[in-house]
Amino acid sequence: MRCSFVFGTASAKKVEVIWPMRLTILGSGTNVHPTRAASGYLVRTDHTMLLDFGPRTLTNLLKTGVNRHRITHFLFSHYHADHFSDFITYFFDAMIFTKYEGGTRPPLTVIGPRGTRKFFRTLFATLPGFTQAPFAVHFKEVADRAFMIGKTTVIPRTVTHTENLHCLGYRIEYGGKALAYSGDSQYCDNLVRLCGDTDLALLDCSFPASRPNPVHLHAGQCGQVAREAGVGQLVLSHFYPITDRYNVREQAGEAFGGKIVVGQDLMTIKL
Ligand SMILES: [Zn+2]
Ligand SMILES: [Zn+2]
């Protein structure tokens, strides 16, 4: 007869906290940056999804330990290369994995702004082999209407970036928590609305307040958006190299009294 004894009481057991949402910054920099990868964020709810997929973020994705072949949804804010280019490397790898290495993967869904289908049609027709992937690939163009990924609600909203680009910010809600991602954005009402009462706002902080740029937020404006939207915490990201020389936390803090996090690659924030 085999006996087992359990010592201790129920109250001594470690209580496991379930976090509905986890955000991992894969890249907090921009296109060419000496120490930071470009834009890319891993969001884990009941699904694992990527928000943008810029250069060097794939290397950081490997470091998270997440199985890249199980990721199903890729959400793009716009197609500036600093938000997109590692998708090409990722997709080529997925084809080799499924064609030659005996691997399988679930269908892959690409979600993005107006023009997404045309963009990928051209890209896939041009890159050798990309139209012959042995797994399903879906493309979905979204505008300002909410949709579901499993039990996760995604609300895209058009933000103002450059004159001739359609750029989306995304709000993601799951398990009573909400985060908003600005994509690349200037200060605009839609961005404040997107971030309204979220637990976390992840904002384009390309430049310091003293070196503003017309198509991006600067640190002071990030603080302003966070205050006006009443967010729980502000995460600053998408830093150009010059921005690392300034105290962006202090600059954002002049407008926003809540928690401010200066983004770093591979930082995970649990909600
Ligand atoms: Zn951009
Ligand atoms: Zn950008």
Side-chain angles (χ1 to χ4, degrees):
M1 192 176 117
R2 218 167 55 172
C3 293
S4 62
F5 298 92
V6 178
F7 296 97
T9 61
S11 63
K13 278 185 190 166
K14 204 174 160 191
V15 178
E16 200 186 330
V17 180
I18 308 290
W19 303 94
M21 202 183 280
R22 280 174 294 164
L23 163 72
T24 301
I25 298 176
L26 299 180
S28 55
T30 187
N31 201 31
V32 177
H33 193 293
T35 55
R36 300 174 187 269
S39 288
Y41 306 92
L42 178 72
V43 177
R44 284 172 273 187
T45 57
D46 62 327
H47 276 65
T48 300
M49 59 194 88
L50 280 192
L51 296 175
D52 287 337
F53 209 167
R56 307 178 300 285
T57 57
L58 176 56
T59 305
N60 280 343
L61 175 64
L62 302 186
K63 292 177 191 166
T64 64
V66 167
N67 181 348
R68 68 186 182 279
H69 300 302
R70 309 313 299 169
I71 300 176
T72 52
H73 291 78
F74 299 80
L75 289 79
F76 290 101
S77 59
H78 65 308
Y79 298 108
H80 274 150
D82 59 313
H83 294 252
F84 165 72
S85 70
D86 266 6
F87 179 81
I88 296 173
T89 313
Y90 174 89
F91 196 88
F92 191 45
D93 168 71
M95 287 198 306
I96 289 165
F97 175 68
T98 49
K99 262 186 165 172
Y100 305 117
E101 295 174 358
T104 57
R105 61 152 298 138
L108 186 156
T109 302
V110 172
I111 297 165
R114 188 173 70 208
T116 291
R117 277 199 194 89
K118 188 178 170 207
F119 177 77
F120 279 94
R121 203 183 305 129
T122 308
L123 192 77
F124 275 44
T126 308
L127 291 164
F130 269 48
T131 51
Q132 282 119 43
F135 50 87
V137 186
H138 305 292
F139 299 102
K140 186 178 164 77
E141 287 187 6
V142 295
D144 295 80
R145 191 176 297 175
F147 60 93
M148 303 297 291
I149 299 175
K151 290 180 177 157
T152 302
T153 304
V154 183
I155 304 164
R157 198 178 269 278
T158 302
V159 293
T160 308
H161 180 26
T162 67
E163 239 170 61
N164 42 18
L165 263 183
H166 194 111
C167 184
L168 293 176
Y170 289 99
R171 179 183 176 115
I172 297 177
E173 299 178 349
Y174 179 73
K177 299 291 179 183
L179 77 76
Y181 167 52
S182 64
D184 279 0
S185 185
Q186 306 174 28
Y187 174 87
C188 59
D189 290 344
N190 269 1
L191 179 60
V192 176
R193 236 171 279 148
L194 180 82
C195 296
D197 296 320
T198 49
D199 298 280
L200 184 155
L202 171 62
L203 299 187
D204 167 3
C205 182
S206 285
F207 295 101
S210 47
R211 303 287 291 265
N213 173 290
V215 301
H216 291 282
L217 294 166
H218 62 64
Q221 291 171 319
C222 289
Q224 184 188 349
V225 169
R227 186 191 69 235
E228 291 174 0
V231 308
Q233 62 175 301
L234 167 62
V235 180
L236 304 172
S237 191
H238 199 284
F239 303 116
Y240 274 69
I242 190 177
T243 310
D244 283 332
R245 292 194 229 144
Y246 294 81
N247 189 338
V248 287
R249 186 202 306 275
E250 198 175 280
Q251 292 182 354
E254 285 175 21
F256 178 61
K259 183 178 177 184
I260 299 173
V261 175
V262 178
Q264 292 291 341
D265 291 17
L266 293 171
M267 171 188 273
T268 293
I269 300 170
K270 296 167 178 169
L271 296 174

